[in-house]
Amino acid sequence: MGTGGPMATATETLTLTQWFSPGFPVGAFAYSHGLEWAIESGDVHDPVSTQGWIAQILAHGAGWNDTLLLAASYRAPDKAALQEVDAIARALAASKERLRETDLQGAAFCKVVSDLSGIPLGGLCYPVAVGWAAQRAALPLELTAQMYLQSFLSNLAAVSMRLVPLGQTAGQALIRDLTPRCIDLVDAALPCDLDDLTSTTFLAYVAAMKHETQYARIFRT
């Protein structure tokens, strides 16, 4: 079940589609979220292990926490509260590369959205920037969070299609199968607050740390 609220207009939906398009210049294609090392090490090696890894990241790692951070920034009453959310988001980064990933994507998102819309955005990490920009643009929180997660899922699927390698059909099937989990996760997360931040994806943390010294690599994280 959804959290209710008015239905998004076509303009709102298409604005969010643009924000989370692979062509929107946040550089998401350059980041694997540690998945490159997991594939190199053999922990992720076929469609089943790929789907399991990404599903865990969504439900018990960055997917869950980013949704809470996005919602908290959307609901922030002022810039002081927003900066507190951003500081928490940065403190949650478990490795140097993960911090760089959210920082650089956030900076790119802030610049482009500010240039396009005139909405003043500072140097915010990615989920915080998205939440604040959506609030300032009066875009619906629920749909923003759903599309943010599906974009994150799609990027990880693209990494897997390239490196596992998964075929295009298997990769698209993975996105199809995990998209309902994005919806369910948003339904579960939006009634919560930052006291509910948590993560048990320890292997993903290790993967991100190992990637920092991985000899041959394509992705920045």
Side-chain angles (χ1 to χ4, degrees), residues 203-215:
L203 285 179
Y205 294 158
V206 171
M209 295 172 189
K210 292 286 190 180
H211 189 269
E212 292 177 4
T213 57
Q214 186 171 331
Y215 177 70

Side-chain angles (χ1 to χ4, degrees), residues 52-86:
W53 183 276
I54 297 174
Q56 291 298 309
I57 294 294
L58 288 172
H60 304 293
W64 172 260
N65 284 342
D66 279 6
T67 305
L68 295 182
L69 293 163
L70 189 158
S73 61
Y74 187 98
R75 294 166 176 154
D78 52 42
K79 288 190 176 180
L82 178 70
Q83 290 300 327
E84 183 175 350
V85 177
D86 190 68

Side-chain angles (χ1 to χ4, degrees), residues 43-119:
D43 290 336
V44 174
H45 56 275
D46 61 11
V48 173
S49 58
T50 302
Q51 182 163 325
W53 183 276
I54 297 174
Q56 291 298 309
I57 294 294
L58 288 172
H60 304 293
W64 172 260
N65 284 342
D66 279 6
T67 305
L68 295 182
L69 293 163
L70 189 158
S73 61
Y74 187 98
R75 294 166 176 154
D78 52 42
K79 288 190 176 180
L82 178 70
Q83 290 300 327
E84 183 175 350
V85 177
D86 190 68
I88 292 170
R90 292 172 186 278
L92 284 173
S95 67
K96 179 177 67 176
E97 283 196 349
R98 280 289 295 116
L99 179 58
R100 182 184 302 127
E101 178 180 331
T102 192
D103 180 54
L104 293 180
Q105 287 193 72
F109 179 87
C110 286
K111 182 181 186 308
V112 178
V113 172
S114 294
D115 289 347
L116 291 175
S117 66
I119 297 172

Side-chain angles (χ1 to χ4, degrees), residues 11 17 68 70 79 103 124-125 158 163 169 181 186 190 192 200:
T11 298
T17 300
L68 295 182
L70 189 158
K79 288 190 176 180
D103 180 54
L124 302 169
C125 65
L163 295 183
T169 300
R181 300 198 189 190
V186 170
L190 290 192
C192 300
T200 54

Side-chain angles (χ1 to χ4, degrees), residues 4-17 74 138-144 146-147:
M7 184 173 294
T9 67
T11 298
E12 291 170 341
T13 301
L14 292 175
T15 296
L16 289 168
T17 300
Y74 187 98
L139 299 173
L141 172 58
E142 182 177 17
L143 184 61
T144 300
Q146 289 169 348
M147 294 184 71

Side-chain angles (χ1 to χ4, degrees), residues 12-33:
E12 291 170 341
T13 301
L14 292 175
T15 296
L16 289 168
T17 300
Q18 180 182 6
W19 282 9
F20 299 121
S21 162
F24 202 70
V26 297
F29 62 87
Y31 302 96
S32 82
H33 201 76

